[in-house]
Amino acid sequence: MKLAKLYKNSQVFKIALGIAIAVVGYIACVFYTQMRSLDSSVDIITNATETQLELERVLSIISIYETNLRSYIITKDESYLEKRFLRRGEIETNLKRINVLVANNPARVKDVKRLNKLIDYRFKLFRETLLLAKSKMPNSEVLNAKLQESNDFTELMKNYVYKTINAEGDKVKIHNNNHQFELQDSIISAFLLVILSLLILLLSFNKMNVDIYELKRANDELKFLNHSFNNAEKIAGFGHWKINLETNTYSFSDNFFRLLGLEPQSFVPSLENISKYVHPDDIEYVTQMHLDSLVSYNPTSLMYRFVLPNGDLKYVMSVGSFTRNGKGQMVKTGVNYDMTEQYKRTIELEENNKELISINEELESFNNIVSHDLQEPLRKIQMFISRIESTEVDSISEKGKGYFYKIRTSANKMQTLLIDLVNYSRTIKGDKVFENTDLKELVYHVIDDLSSDIEEKKAKIDLGDLPTVKVISFQMEQLFINLISNSLKYSQEDVAPEISIFSEKIDKNEVFDNEIITDQDYYKIVVKDNGIGFKQEYAEKVFILFQRLETGSKYSGTGLGLAICKRIVDNHNGFIKVISEPNVGSTFSIFLPKKA
């Protein structure tokens, strides 16, 4: 069963055919290698003989030089040294010949280099011995020792050279023996490999017949897939097209025609015929972009309109790119998407955006009214209230005074609300210029601005270390103003407010809105007070616009202060949370990114 599966596997037979070709190549290489091996054997024997001869010549010259030196020591006759001794010309010539002979043998090249060093040292001994012999009062013991050292080193050189010569001889013998063995073995191998190749070729031929049957089945399956793809085009609302740049032939899918409101293959696919259905205002642009792409091979992405036979408009997105087919011909293929419904929704969205822009303009006008037009009459009301209080309050009845007090309180509340609305608006539409800001220095300015309120409440503010952060300075100043004012406003009766502002390390990773907050990415800044606090279940509610907790009439507020704080922190891509307990106090934690 496994053999049948392998037999039907085309990849297996591709490998088998590759093996067969490799086998034939291997046989040819074997015979070629054998012929080269014979030539190589002759060259090796010749080189070895000549190398041996040259090495023996070098040893002979060294021996002659040694004899001449000894003769000079005995006779002091300078003729033994003239034109012969210490002249390395002959030896250098021998060594050059040896280097040429062993150039293709790295091991021998290394041996020759070592021999050259030995010769250098031997000549060094010659010079040292000669200097001792020529001295006015030569020390016979030192001279004899140097001669003995020279003689021993000469024997060492001879042993090294003969070892090299013997190694070359052994190598020739081994090469001849291996060559004979390989020649006999290759005949048997060649016969077996040829039989194996014929068997593989026979199986491959039989596999071709099987593949023809499989190809027919694959062709039937391909027809079915093509039918399925056409149905998919119809369901998804797109059609594909193709242009062969070599033959200048166009082809459109069935659903391409349906997008035009036509029956499949209603006309011969061509640029001229399809252009008849392109909207007159789009035809020049679309045609030019398409023709330019056929020259530059740049992909295209165009949106244009088709005019259907019934007069309806259809918006399409046409995307095309270039590739080469199996024949190596350049082909542009593309897809047309029906974008009519999406285009209509886009137009509707644009209309909605225009309406939103109009609403935003109205809101901007409202903001200007709040910040200027409403505050001006309010200031006048407060001014007249102040004048009446200073001059006419004694003539007003007690009941009237009560009403008058309520008028003043309402006016003050309205002013506070207008200021908070303007501040909130600034956090939304204000310039968001980030700059490096020393938060400790910034908080010092805030404390100075709130000094009268702090002194009135007899509050104690403990300011610890704060980082330098890239923030929107005026918004960050408003943040601390609101938080400190909040702590002063909601302090306990008969208890001096204590407010601590500091930064601390995030020891454990915190999670906020499913995002992990780590000390590596965020600064943590804490504002802690000993005020009236509130139940922790209201911790989220305090940051909602216009939301106030039930704190009694003596605690005034608009419900915008902490909402402004949250908006500012959001503008900095940070987080703010609070932990509170009634009659204990509240701790606000602000997390600001270290990289703005």
Side-chain angles (χ1 to χ4, degrees), residues 348-362:
E348 183 180 352
L349 183 60
E350 289 177 355
E351 292 297 327
N352 292 336
N353 285 338
K354 291 179 181 178
E355 186 177 349
L356 286 174
I357 291 172
S358 176
I359 293 173
N360 283 334
E361 291 175 352
E362 292 177 1

Side-chain angles (χ1 to χ4, degrees), residues 428-441:
I428 299 174
K429 298 185 66 65
D431 293 334
K432 297 181 180 180
V433 179
F434 287 80
E435 54 187 1
N436 286 325
T437 304
D438 184 346
L439 293 186
K440 190 169 185 178
E441 188 69 23

Side-chain angles (χ1 to χ4, degrees), residues 197-209:
S197 298
L198 290 174
L199 178 61
I200 293 174
L201 289 173
L202 180 62
L203 293 173
S204 299
F205 176 77
N206 193 42
K207 181 64 170 59
M208 289 174 60
N209 292 328

